[in-house]
Amino acid sequence: MSQTDMPPRTSQAVSGGAWTGWLQFGAIMLAVVGVVNVVQGLAALLQDDYFLVRNGDQLLITDFTVWGWILLIWGLAQIGASFGIYTGKSWGRVGAIIIVGVSILIQTAFLSAYPVWSAIIIALDVVVIYALTARWDEGQTGL
């Protein structure tokens, strides 16, 4: 197909570009990380000995019951922000970036209990931040 045979690019074709896929990827990954945090929170609430910590039942700042509630609530906030992004709400991206940034801090505090898992979640959070922030203007019209 030659250049002259191709249909003209419309605003609809541009708005459905590759960067829209990155935003959708970011929304899906944020939901996945949120679900993982909910599962971690439930595990901390329901079974204290599931996570291995060398210093007893203390986790840097508090015990596992409080930490379980923090992870559970934070995971639900991440899932809510992912729906905000996916549905194209204006608050979705900014809120998600803030939530993901705080999630990195939360997982850093959780490193002593479950280092490999926390490192994976931190890496996924960084990918989500990239997906939500790179080419900001293109993403505004994409969803």
Side-chain angles (χ1 to χ4, degrees):
M1 200 169 182
S2 70
Q3 287 278 352
T4 57
D5 294 338
M6 294 180 68
R9 294 182 72 172
T10 64
S11 62
Q12 183 180 14
V14 172
S15 69
W19 210 253
T20 301
W22 268 103
L23 287 175
Q24 291 176 351
F25 172 79
I28 292 168
M29 290 309 298
L30 184 58
V32 168
V33 170
V35 168
V36 167
N37 281 334
V38 167
V39 169
Q40 280 184 329
L42 289 173
L45 286 171
L46 301 175
Q47 189 176 1
D48 283 350
D49 60 347
Y50 181 77
F51 296 108
L52 302 175
V53 179
R54 294 184 189 132
N55 297 335
D57 66 345
Q58 292 296 314
L59 181 66
L60 289 185
I61 54 174
T62 187
D63 66 7
F64 279 106
T65 302
V66 173
W67 194 248
W69 281 109
I70 290 170
L71 284 174
L72 183 66
I73 292 167
W74 201 252
L76 293 173
Q78 288 173 312
I79 293 168
S82 73
F83 284 121
I85 296 166
Y86 197 71
T87 58
K89 302 294 182 196
S90 60
W91 54 266
R93 282 175 79 185
V94 175
I97 291 166
I98 293 167
I99 287 173
V100 171
V102 173
S103 173
I104 290 172
L105 297 174
I106 289 173
Q107 289 299 327
T108 301
F110 202 60
L111 274 169
S112 68
Y114 216 27
V116 174
W117 194 252
S118 292
I120 291 169
I121 298 302
I122 289 169
L124 289 175
D125 283 341
V126 169
V127 171
V128 169
I129 288 174
Y130 174 77
L132 297 177
T133 59
R135 296 190 181 184
W136 185 271
D137 292 337
E138 289 180 36
Q140 288 296 101
T141 58
L143 287 176

